[in-house]
Amino acid sequence: CISRQHLITPTCQVDRESGEQNPARSLALFAKKKLPSGGKAGKRAICGMPSLRSLLLLLILASSTGALSPWDRLLSEVVAPRFFSWFTSSDGVADLHQKHVSSSSVQHMIKGSPLASAPDAAKIDFARSRAGKAVAQFMMAEQRNIGAWKVDRIVEAAGPEFDAEAERRQLLRRVVSNRVVVFSFVDCPWCLLAKERLTAVTQSGLLDAGELAVTELEDLGPSGKRLRAAIALTTGRTSMPSVWIDGQCIGGYTDGEMPSGEPELCLEGARGLEVLENSGQLEALLTKLR
């Protein structure tokens, strides 16, 4: 999740001897902070997103300097659980969720942000950068800590008319309509990367162009919200892209953790499109039935 507004620069601890910033030390101090849980303070915190933006920037800075690795345990066991506990109980997040419920199409946290309005080439450059990789790692932490909570919110946003069984049948029809099916947000950097890489795969001859189908959820209006809810219930993932090969979900672009997904519909051990391509597994998947 990224704020709709510009990220602000957090106070980062500076090493007295070297004069260099110490993001790992800053993360340790962040873990000790008392975060506002609700009311006006909580709403100000989430609407302005200072805590979220500060944590994201610290993660990005730590990742880019290589300073984060000794603090992995602190991040996963202290910082992330406390942050996401605050996040799920925030009045501001509840307000944003209600806007999603009342909207006519799918919403996500970067819509309306400078990143969402940037040219596609700039979005792709960001996703490939160290900063983009750090944000992707943060999103994985979000999935691990509050994945089930997010699924519930996405289902609620689909509306009272949402029929889980009927929408699941619609989803299954879609994912077997082509060898490779991608569900996407139009302004998501990682969705753009997935579509770019799969287009390159069609140009390499591993996949015919007619065997790749892309569905932009925003284009479907209210039914896109219901389709997203069906994907979330089936795979346990709420982020996009959602990539399917021969009727099985392989995850997104950078991750594929689907512990609560339906086993027959989620490729076992999948870790996302990027890992599958780099390991040679994507080529194996695409050639096994030829």
Side-chain angles (χ1 to χ4, degrees):
C1 293
I2 301 175
S3 169
R4 294 170 184 267
Q5 303 175 23
H6 288 281
L7 297 177
I8 62 172
T9 302
T11 300
C12 191
Q13 297 298 304
V14 176
D15 186 277
R16 291 182 178 179
E17 293 184 4
S18 67
E20 296 180 352
Q21 291 183 329
N22 187 340
R25 172 63 177 162
S26 299
L27 278 174
L29 294 178
F30 182 94
K32 298 178 181 179
K33 285 186 177 181
K34 180 176 178 59
L35 299 176
S37 60
K40 292 183 178 179
K43 189 172 292 187
R44 283 196 302 270
I46 194 65
C47 289
M49 292 294 209
S51 296
L52 173 58
R53 292 180 295 188
S54 297
L55 178 57
L56 275 173
L57 280 180
L58 288 173
L59 291 175
I60 291 167
L61 181 59
S63 175
S64 64
T65 61
L68 184 59
S69 53
W71 296 85
D72 284 344
R73 185 173 180 180
L74 170 68
L75 177 64
S76 62
E77 296 183 8
V78 180
V79 177
R82 290 190 68 243
F83 173 78
F84 289 118
S85 175
W86 163 74
F87 185 87
T88 57
S89 62
S90 166
D91 291 344
V93 169
D95 288 347
L96 290 176
H97 173 61
Q98 287 307 311
K99 291 180 181 178
H100 187 194
V101 170
S102 61
S103 70
S104 60
S105 65
V106 292
Q107 300 291 315
H108 56 87
M109 290 294 289
I110 73 168
K111 278 201 178 296
S113 72
L115 180 59
S117 59
D120 286 353
K123 292 191 186 78
I124 289 175
D125 286 345
F126 172 80
R128 285 181 172 146
S129 70
R130 287 185 176 181
K133 292 181 184 301
V135 173
Q137 289 292 325
F138 182 86
M139 296 298 290
M140 292 182 203
E142 182 185 61
Q143 174 67 28
R144 287 191 295 270
N145 282 271
I146 58 171
W149 179 87
K150 289 187 66 181
V151 170
D152 289 344
R153 302 290 84 71
I154 294 303
V155 170
E156 184 179 349
E161 71 280 7
F162 177 69
D163 183 329
E165 284 302 317
E167 295 298 334
R168 180 181 182 277
R169 290 193 294 270
Q170 290 277 4
L171 171 63
L172 295 186
R173 282 193 285 270
R174 284 179 178 271
V175 299
V176 298
S177 63
N178 287 77
R179 289 210 65 200
V180 179
V181 176
V182 180
F183 300 103
S184 167
F185 294 142
V186 294
D187 48 10
C188 165
W190 294 272
C191 295
L192 290 170
L193 265 180
K195 289 179 284 189
E196 179 190 71
R197 294 310 310 144
L198 287 170
T199 298
V201 169
T202 65
Q203 294 169 349
S204 73
L206 278 176
L207 184 72
D208 293 337
E211 294 178 312
L212 170 63
V214 176
T215 297
E216 303 291 358
L217 295 182
E218 291 95 335
D219 293 344
L220 301 180
S223 65
K225 295 170 71 174
R226 296 191 291 271
L227 177 56
R228 185 187 184 189
I231 295 169
L233 288 172
T234 302
T235 66
R237 298 180 71 255
T238 59
S239 60
M240 296 295 140
S242 180
V243 183
W244 299 66
I245 298 178
D246 293 327
Q248 282 193 307
C249 184
I250 65 165
Y253 182 73
T254 57
D255 71 290
E257 294 183 17
M258 296 176 284
S260 63
E262 297 183 31
E264 66 275 17
L265 297 177
C266 301
L267 183 66
E268 184 178 1
R271 296 174 58 194
L273 179 63
E274 182 180 44
V275 172
L276 286 180
E277 183 178 23
N278 292 341
S279 67
Q281 291 177 278
L282 180 62
E283 181 176 355
L285 283 173
L286 293 175
T287 58
K288 70 178 181 179
L289 297 181
R290 288 192 180 279

